[in-house]
Amino acid sequence: MSKHKLHNAIYTFAYPIVEGSNGGVGVHGTATTVTLAVGQTATLNIYGRLDTFFKLRSVILRAWDSSNNTLIDMTNEDSLPLLSSITCKVYVDGKDGSKVLCDPIRATDLSPITSLSSSKRFNYLLPPRFNITLELTNTGSVGNRTLLVGGHLMGTALLRRKL
Amino acid sequence: MKNDLVRNNVAHRFDEQSKRWIYTYTVDILVPNGGSATANLNISNDADFDIEEITGRMMGPVDANGLFLPAHAVPNTDFPYPASSANASSGVMIKMTDQGDGIELQNDFVYAETILAPGYSPTRYQSTKWPYLLMKNSNLRIDCRNRDTVAGAYHLLSMTFKGYKYR
């Protein structure tokens, strides 16, 4: 079927925003989970693969309350302010230089993690070996908690050798 | 005239369904704490399978039979209960690879709860759109890691792949 001709050239793909097996920010294809105390900002770089272009669709974030060692429970209204206290600014280093794709946006508005929010769509095509920088800030004051932020970049890979 | 329209519509639907019909595959994976597990989604030989979306949930800690263990049964566990300081911040992580075409669908392991709804308890409400075509007789390998570190317990990952079969 004609669909098959395309599927091994253009397909759904995810880049993790987690502690990679190689560890450390800046290692090809891996990134490190960011721990944020209240008021703290951290930047995180995610590097693209050599063999594919990448069309960034969305940034999905979740947080771990490392002060209490619990995953933030989205069913608990008391927990929601913790997640909405994380903001994320997205920079990309693409073919035509560096660009900011969004001002600091709350994690709850960025990710489809609550029943109310829908995923923020970026639809931005990046070349192989791209560099995406996430600037994460914990703007909250609830319980003065430290948050561990992770997630993934969702999008479409376009295989270089097939294009 | 009206009856003809209905008849044509029904005939069209039957014709369409003979080539493309809705289907769901499921995979259950028991992942030991501090360890890893691999499962395969095997596509049957009758038709290709076009994934539209993925859902799933994780349960942990569970025993070797996948039965949920209450907090008092594993007092030292650090997931999902607030307890020790061991590194259990992510529970289960997954990585999917299409064995048929040798295509990795992820660059590395991703927190399962950021892909799957309801995940843990639930951490996501909306299913993840993951359009991907798997050929018949192929398989999708799902590698899992469990970063909950307390020995003797497991996390149970139940994934559902919703989509269409094509003939």
Side-chain angles (χ1 to χ4, degrees), chain A:
Chain A
M1 64 198 275
S2 59
K3 205 166 179 179
H4 181 237
K5 288 178 188 165
L6 270 181
H7 107 284
N8 57 8
I10 301 171
Y11 49 92
T12 308
F13 195 77
Y15 279 94
I17 307 171
V18 294
E19 186 179 348
S21 53
N22 296 328
V25 173
V27 177
H28 171 72
T30 65
T32 301
T33 304
V34 179
T35 305
L36 291 172
V38 168
Q40 196 180 353
T41 295
T43 56
L44 185 61
N45 292 304
I46 297 142
Y47 294 96
R49 295 164 69 108
L50 189 61
D51 58 347
T52 56
F53 291 80
F54 183 62
K55 188 173 180 186
L56 174 67
R57 199 166 77 202
S58 53
V59 179
I60 316 290
L61 296 175
R62 73 98 174 92
W64 173 267
D65 177 0
S66 57
S67 301
N68 287 315
N69 250 359
T70 47
L71 188 65
I72 290 174
D73 181 359
M74 303 309 298
T75 59
N76 182 352
E77 286 184 4
D78 292 339
S79 295
L80 284 171
L82 284 174
L83 196 66
S84 61
S85 71
I86 299 164
T87 62
C88 178
K89 187 172 180 177
V90 182
Y91 299 81
V92 290
D93 205 356
K95 211 167 176 72
D96 51 352
S98 184
K99 274 203 182 77
V100 180
L101 293 193
C102 74
D103 275 344
I105 184 170
R106 282 188 301 274
T108 42
D109 296 324
L110 193 66
S111 309
I113 41 176
T114 70
S115 54
L116 294 176
S117 67
S118 61
S119 172
K120 158 81 180 156
R121 297 255 168 183
F122 288 100
N123 287 331
Y124 195 86
L125 183 64
L126 293 154
R129 307 194 83 155
F130 65 78
N131 176 14
I132 291 181
T133 305
L134 305 179
E135 187 180 286
L136 299 158
T137 305
N138 183 352
T139 60
S141 57
V142 183
N144 208 25
R145 285 167 178 166
T146 298
L147 302 173
L148 200 65
V149 185
H152 67 274
L153 306 175
M154 192 79 187
T156 307
L158 299 91
L159 206 55
R160 206 175 175 182
R161 65 185 162 82
K162 298 255 183 177
L163 297 176

Side-chain angles (χ1 to χ4, degrees), chain B residues 4 7 15 39 51 72 108 112 116 139 145 152 162:
Chain B
D4 283 348
R7 261 196 298 273
D15 182 49
I51 302 170
H72 62 80
D108 209 332
L116 303 176
N139 69 72
R145 285 180 187 164
K162 299 166 184 170

Side-chain angles (χ1 to χ4, degrees), chain B residues 3-165:
Chain B
N3 283 347
D4 283 348
L5 280 174
V6 172
R7 261 196 298 273
N8 286 342
N9 185 264
V10 168
H12 175 70
R13 288 292 300 273
F14 277 129
D15 182 49
E16 201 177 67
Q17 281 179 189
S18 68
K19 297 171 195 137
R20 178 185 185 267
W21 65 100
I22 199 159
Y23 197 79
T24 302
Y25 280 100
T26 59
V27 178
D28 290 333
I29 313 165
L30 196 60
V31 195
N33 281 9
S36 58
T38 298
N40 286 302
L41 167 66
N42 296 310
I43 306 302
S44 60
N45 65 2
D46 63 336
D48 301 330
F49 181 60
D50 195 12
I51 302 170
E52 288 216 321
E53 58 183 38
I54 302 175
T55 57
R57 74 159 302 185
M58 290 80 74
M59 276 171 58
V62 297
D63 65 17
N65 298 312
L67 298 174
F68 189 70
L69 292 167
H72 62 80
V74 274
N76 294 322
T77 191
D78 42 27
F79 193 93
Y81 310 106
S84 78
S85 58
N87 181 12
S89 61
S90 37
V92 173
M93 299 165 79
I94 58 172
K95 185 179 178 187
M96 296 184 285
T97 308
D98 175 3
Q99 297 279 73
D101 283 306
I103 292 175
E104 294 180 331
L105 304 194
Q106 300 166 214
N107 205 39
D108 209 332
F109 284 81
V110 170
Y111 292 124
E113 74 267 15
T114 62
I115 289 184
L116 303 176
Y120 287 106
S121 76
T123 43
R124 274 192 66 166
Y125 286 88
Q126 296 171 19
S127 58
T128 297
K129 301 283 179 207
W130 198 297
Y132 192 81
L133 183 66
L134 289 161
M135 306 311 286
K136 61 184 172 187
N137 278 325
S138 70
N139 69 72
L140 182 72
R141 195 181 75 216
I142 304 153
D143 291 304
C144 305
R145 285 180 187 164
N146 186 348
R147 296 177 71 192
D148 189 349
T149 50
V150 174
Y154 301 78
H155 284 219
L156 178 63
L157 172 63
S158 302
M159 293 180 74
T160 302
F161 298 83
K162 299 166 184 170
Y164 287 88
K165 277 196 171 186

